[in-house]
Structure formats: structure tokens, C-alpha cells
Amino acid sequence: MLIVESHVDVNTVVDGKDSPMRIFVFTPTVPQYPNARFPGVVLFSEIYQVTGPVARFARQIAGHGYVVAAPSSYHEFTGPEPLAYDVPGTDKGNEWKVAKTLDSYDQDVIKTVDYLLTHPNCNGRIGSTGMCLGGHLALRAGLDTRISAIVSYFATDVHSRTLGPHPANNSPTPPPSSPHTLDNLSRISAEVAMLFGLKDTHVPDAGRDLIRLKLREAGVVNSFHEFAWAQHAFIRDELSKGRYDPVITKVCFEILLELFGRVLKTEVGERDAQPQKVEHVC
């Protein structure tokens, strides 16, 4: 499937401050069918904004029949250009990810979904995905009930409550009326697939175990995948510091296609809220 690439600038307002946000758009096309319609996917980037690897990931998704919208997360601090995969770029990305408020991250979701719902080739069904910071944002995007399928790659700062300048960062217990993603999972109605490497030093064993436990306690329909030899950033095919694993990346993409294809492309109607009865048979 061919792809048309474009961008749109939308205005966000948080705490009375206006900030233009660029959304990079990747639209599949079918020759001679200009009105073809596809599900939408919000793609959140790692701390470096929309880099080459993120754009290639977007094209891969779009090529399977999804309108992909990738917002520039740091629009309050800088332009839409990506940060470099070097020490200064890493330091800036890590600084901004905790300086940006959760309200602002949530506003980005609202504005990006709003845009997709106006896109002439989007059929109104929306999923989210992303890696690293973007993996967290893809999961948090589920707080917007218009998101119905989520594929999160090695989501950082979920288990530690360390995204945004809020109380209880790194606390084992939530603060009162906690805004943190970990403490609001019960608000997610989307089906979720979480993807992690067992060698990920950013999300250690205890952190992954906590996320899995909280998803189950919240009643979120989810699948949880852990790959024995994968490290952090295992899908990044550029400057991954030796961590890129193309075979595991392919397996994970098949997981994404299965979930998005089943939930976003198939007409199944509303989900029955009654617990499924599973027979215990051999």
C-alpha cells in the first residue's frame, strides 16, 4: 500500500498557555479510491521526538492500512525537529519529559485524536502505540475512551510514577487523587498489549511485575509479553547502542497487527461486559 506523508500544526492550550503542536501524518492510499477509509493510530515517540526510526515505524504501520498521526511531544519547549541520539539530545529529552505536565500530555492525546476524527480517510476507530516515553503515552492515551486498542513498547516511568512534575515520584504508594497512569488504569476500556525485554534496565523485573499486577487489578483486558534477551529500545534500528533486535521487532509487529486488526478493523459491535466463562477441559 502506498503512503502519503504530510503534517498539520494544531494549537494546544494548557494552564492558559498556547503552544502549537506539529502532528506528522502518514496516510495509506489505494489507487483510484480517494475516499478509502482506514482506522487511525496515534504514534508516540521516544524522548527524541519524531526521529528516523519513529517515522519508519509509522510508515510500516500505515502500509498495513492505518492513518498514523505522530505528535511532537515537546512543543512547549522546542520545535518539531527531532533531538539527536547523543548525550545533549538525551539530556534534553529526559529533562523535558519530567518538566512537561501530565495535563499537557493528555491535551496532546485529545488534540491528536480530534485531528484523526476529522481526517477524510479515517473511519473513526483509533488505536495508540509508541516506544519508551511513547510506550507510556500510548498506555496513558487509553484514558481517552476514544482509544480502543493499545500496543505499548517498553513503557518507561509507569511503575515509578516519574512522568511529569507531580508528587509521589518514585513512591511505592500513590498520592491522594493520584494523576499518575499507574493509579488510573481502571479508566482504560481499550484492550492493551504490553511489550518488554527482560534485560531492560529502565523497567526492571519488579517494575514490570507491578504494571502487570495493576492491569489485572484494574480489570484491563491485556496481554503481557516479555522477551528473554531483549533490552531497552530493542526496536530502534538506528543508534540503538547494540540493542536493536530485528527478529524480536518483527514478532512484536505481528502482535501489533493482530490486536489492531482484530479490534480496529473488524466490526464486532460493543463488548459484552459479562466475564467470559472458560471451560476447564483437556
Side-chain angles (χ1 to χ4, degrees), residues 116-132:
L116 280 171
L117 292 177
T118 67
H119 194 290
N121 298 109
C122 181
N123 67 10
R125 295 181 189 156
I126 311 293
S128 64
T129 190
M131 67 287 292
C132 190

Side-chain angles (χ1 to χ4, degrees), residues 29-281:
T29 64
V30 180
Q32 298 184 301
Y33 290 88
N35 299 316
R37 288 163 63 82
F38 311 93
V41 172
V42 184
L43 169 57
F44 297 98
S45 69
E46 51 192 346
I47 62 169
Y48 304 96
Q49 299 212 102
V50 182
T51 60
V54 175
R56 287 191 287 276
F57 186 41
R59 294 181 192 111
Q60 190 177 18
I61 297 170
H64 283 80
Y66 298 89
V67 181
V68 179
S72 299
S73 293
Y74 294 148
H75 49 89
E76 297 99 327
F77 311 110
T78 189
E81 298 78 18
L83 299 174
Y85 287 123
D86 57 15
V87 172
T90 300
D91 289 346
K92 275 296 182 187
N94 281 322
E95 174 189 342
W96 288 336
K97 79 169 180 178
V98 294
K100 184 181 173 85
T101 67
L102 293 178
D103 285 344
S104 181
Y105 284 120
D106 294 344
Q107 185 68 203
D108 293 353
V109 174
I110 292 169
K111 289 292 186 177
T112 307
V113 174
D114 285 350
Y115 168 73
L116 280 171
L117 292 177
T118 67
H119 194 290
N121 298 109
C122 181
N123 67 10
R125 295 181 189 156
I126 311 293
S128 64
T129 190
M131 67 287 292
C132 190
L133 163 65
H136 187 153
L137 298 180
L139 178 63
R140 187 173 178 86
L143 301 181
D144 187 323
T145 56
R146 297 174 295 177
I147 300 285
S148 54
I150 298 168
V151 179
S152 170
Y153 287 77
F154 40 88
T156 55
D157 300 291
V158 176
H159 68 285
S160 54
R161 301 183 177 92
T162 46
L163 186 65
H166 284 284
N169 285 354
N170 277 313
S171 170
T173 57
S177 303
S178 173
H180 292 290
T181 306
L182 187 69
D183 307 312
N184 287 276
L185 296 175
S186 62
R187 294 169 52 193
I188 295 176
S189 58
E191 182 173 342
V192 177
M194 302 295 293
L195 309 172
F196 288 104
L198 288 178
K199 302 297 183 183
D200 190 335
T201 59
H202 295 257
V203 191
D205 291 349
R208 297 191 307 275
D209 291 346
L210 178 61
I211 294 169
R212 179 168 42 222
L213 173 65
K214 291 296 186 180
L215 285 167
R216 288 178 177 172
E217 288 180 345
V220 177
V221 177
N222 77 95
S223 54
F224 206 96
H225 305 267
E226 296 174 294
F227 297 91
W229 301 106
Q231 301 180 56
H232 192 69
F234 63 80
I235 70 168
R236 192 167 80 212
D237 63 357
E238 178 182 331
L239 295 172
S240 67
K241 303 178 179 71
R243 296 173 294 179
Y244 174 53
D245 190 315
V247 176
I248 294 177
T249 295
K250 181 177 182 295
V251 171
C252 290
F253 194 69
E254 292 298 327
I255 293 169
L256 179 148
L257 291 180
E258 187 280 325
L259 177 54
F260 283 179
R262 175 168 46 81
V263 175
L264 300 180
K265 285 190 173 181
T266 306
E267 283 280 2
V268 293
E270 296 297 319
R271 195 178 80 190
D272 184 349
Q274 297 299 316
Q276 182 186 12
K277 184 177 180 180
V278 180
E279 290 187 65
H280 182 63
V281 296

